[in-house]
Amino acid sequence: MILGAALVVPFAHRFKPVRWYAHGFWVLVLVFLTTYPAAFAIRSFLFQPFSIPSSSMVPTLQGGDYLFVSKFAYGYSRYSVPFNLLPIEGRMFGAEPKRGDVVVFKFPPDPSVDYIQRIVGLPGDKIQMVNGVLHINDVAVGLKDAGTFSYEEREQPARLQRETLPGGVTHFVLDLTDSSIGDNTREFEVPEGHYFMLGDNRDNASDSRFMVGFVPYENLVGKAVRLFWNSKGTEYSSRQTLDGSVGK
């Protein structure tokens, strides 16, 4: 709408409109009526931009990142459209998420808050952290050291690890300390219709091990698919696609 006004207003005095819809005011009204609904529809049903204010998904996502989230990847629920304009129970046109997907979801204790984390547990799975290693159905996932990562203002860099989930999704995770409260947990059995989330920054993420708990299917907003900007100037081209296929 702003762009339309910028294009119309400077040249409006040069024309002598003969139709009602050619007058400057009505041109602006028509620009609004055509542009805003289209943007609203795209944001609600196709792709929505999100920013990353926290560090729970470092190194995959970093502070200042902006990304697109696919709203149609898992179908639509009451949380897909703003202002509660889709008051339905469950999901319509639903598709099941896959293990390893990075998703935006509504925080179960307070659905007004958006979270972004990685799905590691599907309905029926048994999830447990043992000595900092993720176990799914009593089997440890693949985990290999992949160097170090400069993290915030720490004197010593954090340990970077490459994690491989069942199904083949591979991504980096961060290990800040060997004695984190989340390194050893009880066994969680994921109920039907719910998912278990972990942040890639395993020692600095409030995820399903803690307050997030199990995330209902209807709370999923969409799948994170692509980074398009970083407001802090952090390089992001190597992290641009979020398809779980980091270099070997």
Side-chain angles (χ1 to χ4, degrees):
M1 186 177 66
I2 294 173
L3 178 60
L7 293 174
V8 170
V9 173
F11 302 101
H13 68 281
R14 300 186 182 183
F15 301 95
K16 296 180 179 180
V18 294
R19 304 281 186 178
W20 66 269
Y21 53 77
H23 289 266
F25 172 75
W26 291 108
V27 168
L28 294 179
V29 170
L30 291 173
V31 167
F32 175 82
L33 291 178
T34 56
T35 304
Y36 185 80
F40 182 82
I42 291 172
R43 180 183 184 277
S44 298
F45 298 106
L46 297 178
F47 295 97
Q48 181 177 349
F50 281 85
S51 62
I52 305 300
S54 72
S55 59
S56 67
M57 281 296 290
V58 173
T60 305
L61 300 173
Q62 300 179 30
D65 280 349
Y66 282 75
L67 55 92
F68 285 119
V69 168
S70 170
K71 302 294 285 290
F72 57 86
Y74 310 130
Y76 306 98
S77 74
R78 57 180 171 152
Y79 297 119
S80 300
V81 181
F83 314 121
N84 199 29
L85 295 179
L86 194 66
I88 62 173
E89 294 297 324
R91 303 191 80 89
M92 57 187 296
F93 310 117
E96 296 295 327
K98 297 179 180 179
R99 193 191 316 276
D101 286 355
V102 177
V103 301
V104 171
F105 60 93
K106 294 296 184 179
F107 181 45
D110 181 4
S112 67
V113 179
D114 292 318
Y115 270 52
I116 182 167
Q117 288 170 356
R118 188 180 300 276
I119 293 178
V120 299
L122 304 178
D125 281 344
K126 295 179 179 179
I127 306 295
Q128 187 175 17
M129 296 293 296
V130 180
N131 296 325
V133 180
L134 172 63
H135 287 60
I136 301 176
N137 298 323
D138 300 318
V139 178
V141 303
L143 191 66
K144 296 182 178 180
D145 287 339
T148 59
F149 184 87
S150 296
Y151 181 69
E152 295 182 350
E153 298 181 356
R154 290 168 53 96
E155 293 184 4
Q156 298 295 327
R159 181 166 58 168
L160 188 68
Q161 297 176 301
R162 183 183 291 107
E163 183 176 83
T164 303
L165 300 175
V169 172
T170 302
H171 57 277
F172 290 121
V173 296
L174 212 58
D175 183 23
L176 302 181
T177 175
D178 292 330
S179 56
S180 168
I181 189 175
D183 280 349
N184 290 281
T185 69
R186 67 177 178 88
E187 183 178 82
F188 300 89
E189 186 168 354
V190 186
E192 287 300 315
H194 293 72
Y195 296 88
F196 194 94
M197 309 292 184
L198 285 181
D200 289 350
N201 189 351
R202 293 290 159 81
D203 295 329
N204 191 24
S206 177
D207 47 36
S208 290
R209 295 171 292 178
F210 307 112
M211 292 183 61
V212 169
F214 302 118
V215 177
Y217 183 34
E218 73 168 356
N219 282 47
L220 304 185
V221 174
K223 178 182 178 181
V225 292
R226 191 174 184 85
L227 298 175
F228 65 89
W229 187 50
N230 184 282
S231 62
K232 298 181 179 181
T234 303
E235 190 276 333
Y236 64 90
S237 60
S238 62
R239 303 180 289 113
Q240 201 162 19
T241 57
L242 300 171
D243 58 359
S245 57
V246 300
K248 302 296 184 182

